[in-house]
């Protein structure tokens, strides 16, 4: 692993304000080894300001789950990168499979969002991944290639401090079914090859997270998989013991 491991928790549409603040307070008290691993909380929009405040002065990061590509305007229900930045948010998940498949986000739209996040000097956690049907039809590499090429179109240089990629096979998200080590290793290796082709040498340092039913029972094995620089976690990031256990396992591996 070339970078400090990253563990990002995607809360999706879970936790009220009280629950969220109490949750990060408990994690904050339990995670003593934070310099070994970067932990990022991605709560719903309405909690962002309070969570940033609750984590003030710590090394924990805070990310949003989405952003609109325009900086302002008549876009009811949307939020801009500028607004997120003004609250102290540092990261934005872009292109999550639920945004792509439930809300119809296209690669072109995701590309506009990626540019908006870069322009606003926040860090995108850019999600890619194939559906079960894609995998069964041996189209995994083709899909990943397509998503990265279109998602990063017009981006001239990338920097490992400014971009995170999350490989999340759609069939593994929230299903309890995790990709095998070989599948993860192959996909992460392929992502690196695409980034090398597009951006040259510097792309080798871009962190690539795995996401898809990561939990306290599979984290130790997954973090040792070649090319895995951390995790994007949904369900298990909502439970204090599970999330802390995953962080501890990643921390212990990183010590070795
Ligand atoms: C996700 O939502 O990005 C995710 C990986 O969810 P889960 O860990 O629940 O599969």
């Amino acid at each position: 692993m070339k970078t400090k491991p990253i563990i990002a928790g995607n809360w999706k549409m879970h936790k009220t304000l009280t629950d969220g603040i109490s949750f990060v307070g408990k994690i904050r008290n339990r995670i003593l080894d934070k310099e070994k691993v970067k932990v990022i909380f991605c709560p719903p929009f309405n909690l962002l300001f309070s969570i940033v405040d609750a984590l003030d002065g710590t090394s924990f990061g805070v990310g949003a789950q989405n952003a609109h590509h325009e900086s302002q305007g008549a876009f009811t229900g949307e939020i801009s990168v500028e607004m997120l930045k003004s609250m102290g948010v540092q990261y934005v998940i872009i292109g999550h499979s639920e945004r792509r498949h439930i809300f119809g986000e296209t690669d072109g739209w995701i590309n506009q969002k990626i540019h908006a996040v870069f322009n606003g000097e926040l860090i995108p956690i850019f999600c890619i991944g194939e559906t079960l049907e894609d995998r069964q039809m041996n189209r995994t590499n083709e899909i990943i290639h397509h998503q990265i090429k279109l998602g990063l179109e017009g981006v001239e240089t990338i920097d490992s401090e400014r971009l995170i990629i999350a490989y999340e096979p759609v069939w593994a998200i929230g299903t309890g079914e995790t990709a095998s080590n070989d599948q993860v290793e192959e996909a992460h290796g392929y992502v690196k090859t695409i980034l090398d082709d597009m951006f040259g040498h510097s792309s080798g340092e871009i962190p690539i997270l795995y996401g898809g039913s990561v939990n306290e029972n599979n984290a130790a094995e997954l973090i040792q998989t070649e090319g895995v620089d951390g995790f994007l976690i949904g369900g298990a990031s909502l439970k204090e013991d599970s999330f802390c256990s995953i962080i501890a396992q990643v921390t212990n591996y990183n010590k070795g």
Side-chain angles (χ1 to χ4, degrees):
M1 188 180 308
K2 298 188 188 91
T3 54
K4 183 198 254 194
I6 296 168
I7 299 181
N10 174 14
W11 292 4
K12 312 193 187 197
M13 200 173 73
H14 291 287
K15 295 196 188 293
T16 62
L17 180 59
T18 320
D19 294 343
I21 292 178
S22 146
F23 184 80
V24 296
K26 288 182 194 153
I27 303 281
R28 185 183 164 158
N29 289 338
R30 282 180 62 171
I31 305 301
L32 303 174
D33 224 348
K34 352 184 223 280
E35 76 278 5
K36 301 259 195 270
V37 40
K38 179 78 191 175
V39 177
I40 303 167
F41 296 97
C42 302
F45 289 140
N46 63 317
L47 274 65
L48 284 167
F49 184 76
S50 306
I51 300 287
V52 167
D53 191 46
L55 295 173
D56 189 34
T58 72
S59 65
F60 291 105
V62 180
Q65 299 171 17
N66 185 24
H68 197 273
H69 62 275
E70 297 284 357
S71 57
Q72 59 182 338
F75 303 107
T76 302
E78 292 290 325
I79 194 159
S80 73
V81 172
E82 211 167 278
M83 292 167 183
L84 296 173
K85 192 175 179 179
S86 73
M87 287 192 284
V89 169
Q90 302 139 303
Y91 301 85
V92 190
I93 298 175
I94 297 290
H96 188 276
S97 82
E98 285 149 22
R99 298 298 317 170
R100 292 177 187 265
H101 298 287
I102 304 174
F103 298 100
E105 288 192 13
T106 61
D107 291 300
W109 197 5
I110 288 164
N111 177 249
Q112 288 180 295
K113 291 176 183 228
I114 292 271
H115 280 281
V117 176
F118 281 144
N119 291 339
E121 295 177 340
L122 299 192
I123 302 170
I125 302 176
F126 172 33
C127 301
I128 51 160
E130 81 288 358
T131 62
L132 184 58
E133 194 187 354
D134 296 328
R135 182 161 279 277
Q136 285 168 341
M137 292 172 72
N138 279 327
R139 294 185 58 207
T140 299
N141 284 1
E142 183 193 328
I143 296 296
I144 291 175
H145 187 249
H146 191 77
Q147 290 173 338
I148 296 178
K149 266 257 184 286
L150 296 185
L152 296 180
E153 196 170 276
V155 174
E156 275 163 21
T157 52
I158 51 173
D159 172 346
S160 60
E161 301 288 315
R162 312 295 324 158
L163 171 66
I164 298 168
I165 306 257
Y167 168 63
E168 300 206 299
V170 179
W171 49 271
I173 297 180
T175 59
E177 197 177 335
T178 316
S180 70
N181 286 30
D182 285 350
Q183 289 169 329
V184 175
E185 185 173 336
E186 194 185 334
H188 282 228
Y190 189 57
V191 171
K192 280 199 191 301
T193 306
I194 300 165
L195 294 175
D196 279 350
D197 280 354
M198 288 176 76
F199 301 102
H201 195 61
S202 63
S203 65
E205 302 291 329
I206 300 293
I208 305 175
L209 314 185
Y210 168 75
S213 297
V214 175
N215 60 43
E216 62 275 36
N217 301 316
N218 57 29
E221 201 180 335
L222 281 165
I223 198 64
Q224 296 180 51
T225 304
E226 180 74 28
V228 173
D229 300 311
F231 301 129
L232 178 55
I233 306 171
S237 78
L238 298 168
K239 297 176 234 152
E240 186 190 331
D241 287 343
S242 303
F243 198 51
C244 287
S245 166
I246 295 168
I247 295 168
Q249 292 178 52
V250 171
T251 304
N252 288 338
Y253 173 65
N254 199 34
K255 279 180 183 153

